[in-house]
Amino acid sequence: MAHPPSSDRLERFDVVVVGGGPAGATAATDLAGAGFSVLLLDKPGRIKPCGGAIPPRLIRDFAIPDSLLVARIRSARMVSPKDKRVDMPIGDGFVGMVDRETFDPWLRARARQAGADLREAVFEEVSREGGETLVRFRCGRGETERESLVRTRLVIGADGATSPVGRAEIPGHAAMRQVFAYHEIVRRPETGADVEGTRCDVYYQGALSPDFYAWIFPHGDTISVGTGSARKGFSLRSSIRSLRRSSGLEAAQTLRREGAPIPLKPLKRWDNGRDVLLAGDAAGVVAPASGEGIYYAMLGGRLSAEAAGAFLRTGDARALGEARRRFMKLHGRVFWILGMMQWVWYRNDALRERFVAICRDRDVQQLTWDAYMNKELVRAKPAAHARIFFKDLAHLFRWAST
């Protein structure tokens, strides 16, 4: 392999973004649109396992075209360990569904249109030399593989839960709490499956996930069948085989199988106080209990871009900390509530049974959808919040029957 050029002949960028998923592509788009020189590195050949749900708030805030929506969800069905089923209609509006196989490339193409330099590459390391920050990566494969080195003022690591950037630059990153998710994309059969094109099915059953949940999410002509768990030794593939069999999808054609770790708690620090900032899964911004990540990744990418812009304009590295501070001000309370909900209700099947029973309540359904669709806690209905609080206590302490 040829040696990279000396540092005085290297390409220079204001920002190098490592990872071209929703967080990295959004950060690159915003920074390039603001006039900064941006290099976006994306590792080829990987599609993240993801149910693909995006709320109206995301569609609106990030200008997602209708052409990317493979389905419009009008309701969710919660399925208990005893196979009791609770339908939660959305009412007005819908939740959009995207397939990451097409959604992520579209986001990267938008970053390129905004002016980012997009390259398929494998990140290797961040180093410093003579007061400058250097990023080393590999492009191409086999005989065409080559090593590259560029200079930059800032690195944004948006390279997933096991982020090489984060693990090298942010203390404590390797200890980030994670769930491993796995799904199979299958061809939707014409008949025989217990699946509706406008309904997401969520299974709270210990046999399918001992500490999280399993799902069947429609994607138009295809379906995502998935599960997740942090428990070592639990067979995710066996769980999916069981779910496919029980839902009439056993014989459906399997198009893709994908697995990856997913974080469930934001890191306490997203930057190194110098020249590295994290975004998306690398920063831990996936919602506990629900596992929702696309909206939070894109918002995190946008907030990281704004913090990066402030840093690039002023040279003050303290500006990098604003990304996490602003994110936690907006959503820290929601993440705490969801974390507590997962800790309380996901521990065993008896609790999961009562959790699904709570979902029958109209107050719970309305406030859940209001919060999900708009990404805000609804404060205008204190009486409903009080009713939900006492109903939760009743179910938790077995005062209510299931």
Side-chain angles (χ1 to χ4, degrees), residues 334-352:
V334 171
F335 273 48
W336 183 85
I337 291 171
L338 290 173
M340 287 297 296
M341 190 178 83
Q342 182 173 345
W343 180 79
V344 169
W345 296 111
Y346 290 14
R347 288 179 290 172
N348 56 58
D349 274 354
L351 288 168
R352 293 185 191 99

Side-chain angles (χ1 to χ4, degrees), residues 68-308:
L68 286 176
L69 303 182
V70 294
R72 288 169 169 79
I73 299 303
R74 307 286 181 177
S75 69
R77 172 171 289 182
M78 309 302 185
V79 184
S80 79
K82 295 180 180 179
D83 212 36
K84 294 181 180 178
R85 302 176 178 223
V86 176
D87 287 335
M88 297 177 61
I90 291 176
D92 296 335
F94 63 88
V95 173
M97 301 298 291
V98 297
D99 191 319
R100 297 290 293 272
E101 184 179 28
T102 53
F103 184 68
D104 288 19
W106 184 89
L107 293 176
R108 291 191 287 272
R110 181 162 69 174
R112 173 181 276 169
Q113 291 170 0
D117 186 339
L118 172 62
R119 301 182 195 178
E120 288 191 349
V122 177
F123 165 82
E124 289 194 327
E125 66 174 359
V126 177
S127 61
R128 285 93 185 170
E129 182 179 308
E132 292 193 306
T133 302
L134 307 177
V135 177
R136 188 184 305 273
F137 55 92
R138 289 180 288 110
C139 296
R141 296 181 182 179
E143 295 182 356
T144 64
E145 184 180 87
R146 67 185 186 281
E147 186 178 88
S148 297
L149 194 66
V150 298
R151 293 184 291 181
T152 188
R153 295 179 62 192
L154 179 68
V155 179
I156 293 181
D159 47 344
T162 58
S163 166
V165 174
R167 293 191 171 206
E169 298 292 332
I170 308 298
H173 193 283
M176 183 166 61
R177 180 170 171 244
Q178 298 175 349
V179 161
F180 198 88
Y182 171 76
H183 81 159
E184 296 178 358
I185 297 292
V186 304
R187 183 80 64 190
R188 182 179 178 182
E190 293 184 4
T191 60
D194 183 20
V195 178
E196 291 186 10
T198 60
R199 186 190 72 212
C200 286
D201 295 342
V202 186
Y203 291 78
Y204 295 99
Q205 299 179 349
L208 297 176
S209 172
D211 52 355
F212 201 54
Y213 65 83
W215 69 83
I216 296 179
F217 288 178
H219 286 184
D221 293 335
T222 64
I223 301 168
S224 167
V225 188
T227 189
S229 177
R231 185 171 297 179
K232 293 182 179 179
F234 180 77
S235 175
L236 301 177
R237 288 177 179 262
S238 295
S239 171
I240 295 307
R241 282 197 298 270
S242 176
L243 181 54
R244 289 181 61 172
R245 185 166 54 249
S246 65
S247 59
L249 295 171
E250 185 176 21
Q253 180 187 6
T254 303
L255 303 177
R256 305 195 316 262
R257 294 181 174 91
E258 296 148 2
I262 296 175
L264 289 181
K265 188 175 182 180
L267 288 175
K268 293 183 178 180
R269 189 177 181 93
W270 294 4
D271 70 279
N272 67 352
R274 180 180 181 181
D275 56 3
V276 171
L277 176 62
L278 302 181
D281 282 14
V285 292
V286 175
S290 70
E292 183 190 359
I294 299 178
Y295 171 77
Y296 296 115
M298 296 183 72
L299 175 64
R302 174 152 292 171
L303 295 177
S304 291
E306 291 172 0

Side-chain angles (χ1 to χ4, degrees), residues 295-370:
Y295 171 77
Y296 296 115
M298 296 183 72
L299 175 64
R302 174 152 292 171
L303 295 177
S304 291
E306 291 172 0
F311 163 71
L312 293 170
R313 286 188 293 268
T314 66
D316 187 350
R318 291 175 296 181
L320 299 176
E322 282 300 303
R324 186 186 188 279
R325 282 191 288 270
R326 291 179 62 196
F327 184 93
M328 296 306 292
K329 183 177 181 180
L330 289 169
H331 298 290
R333 185 181 176 197
V334 171
F335 273 48
W336 183 85
I337 291 171
L338 290 173
M340 287 297 296
M341 190 178 83
Q342 182 173 345
W343 180 79
V344 169
W345 296 111
Y346 290 14
R347 288 179 290 172
N348 56 58
D349 274 354
L351 288 168
R352 293 185 191 99
E353 197 71 39
R354 293 197 287 279
F355 172 71
V356 173
I358 291 173
C359 295
R360 292 192 183 96
D361 187 272
R362 290 186 178 181
D363 289 331
V364 171
Q365 293 186 11
Q366 183 174 356
L367 290 178
T368 296
W369 285 124
D370 285 347

